[in-house]
Amino acid sequence: MRTANLRPRPWVAGLGLCLALGATGAAAVQTCKYDSIPATAPGSRFTDNGDGTVTDKATGLQWKRCSEGQTWSGGTCTGYYTIHIWQGALQLAEGASYAGKSDWRLPNIRELASIVEHACYDPAVDLAVFPNTPSSYFWSSSPYVAYPELAWLVDFVGGGVSYNYKINSYFGRVRLVRGGQ
């Protein structure tokens, strides 16, 4: 797992605005380098539960296959993901019910980073397991302890771990998990 420099930078809050303004809305084309980089979260590690969820055989965690806001339909994720500030992401998870389960939660930073596929980028995830995942940042439930106004997240463009201000909604994609901890 890649780690971030642990000093917050004031420019990080503005990064989201810069990225948002530069976004075209066009779908990204994923690139994978399995010939030179070993798979870190291969599809074979996940069991399809047939209900829009998968279970990670390595961790025992059950994941929603779609980002929040998307709908599982016809074997894929459709629609557009929603974005949230960190507190909103925690509240969304607290009230979530899906596939007959109501114990969904926001993953901690280690759990979220465990589904990064480092052999791929744009997005850095196995799209057969997590279809139509946006190449973007996803919140974890992990606060940045030294600076209470920050929280950890995973960048699914390249798979890096970082942090940002909890009030920044640009970094607010959400994928829910259950089990573990």
Side-chain angles (χ1 to χ4, degrees):
M1 176 169 73
R2 296 183 187 135
T3 57
N5 184 333
L6 300 181
R7 289 187 341 234
R9 295 177 176 90
W11 57 265
V12 174
L15 180 61
L17 178 60
C18 294
L19 293 174
L21 293 175
T24 63
V29 177
Q30 184 183 52
T31 301
C32 296
K33 303 283 187 177
Y34 291 115
D35 57 330
S36 58
I37 302 171
T40 55
S44 59
R45 200 176 90 188
F46 297 88
T47 301
D48 183 349
N49 299 318
D51 58 2
T53 70
V54 291
T55 300
D56 186 336
K57 293 181 259 187
T59 64
L61 296 171
Q62 184 177 13
W63 293 90
K64 284 186 70 176
R65 295 182 76 175
C66 299
S67 305
E68 288 305 291
Q70 293 179 312
T71 303
W72 182 252
S73 177
T76 193
C77 299
T78 62
Y80 197 71
Y81 55 83
T82 54
I83 59 174
H84 307 270
I85 64 171
W86 187 71
Q87 189 62 41
L90 291 172
Q91 290 169 347
L92 173 75
E94 188 175 299
S97 179
Y98 186 77
K101 309 292 184 202
S102 59
D103 59 345
W104 295 98
R105 60 183 175 78
L106 204 58
N108 67 44
I109 191 62
R110 289 179 190 260
E111 291 168 336
L112 188 57
S114 76
I115 64 170
V116 168
E117 178 49 73
H118 288 290
C120 300
Y121 62 92
D122 207 11
V125 69
D126 188 317
L127 289 175
V129 179
F130 301 104
N132 293 323
T133 293
S135 290
S136 193
Y137 292 85
F138 281 73
W139 285 122
S140 79
S141 63
S142 303
Y144 189 98
V145 178
Y147 295 92
E149 67 276 10
L150 303 175
W152 289 99
L153 44 82
V154 171
D155 172 8
F156 279 94
V157 175
V161 174
S162 188
Y163 48 81
N164 207 300
Y165 292 94
K166 294 176 180 178
I167 60 169
N168 190 336
S169 65
Y170 179 77
F171 293 97
R173 281 72 176 170
V174 176
R175 181 176 311 280
L176 298 182
V177 70
R178 57 184 297 274
Q181 282 207 16

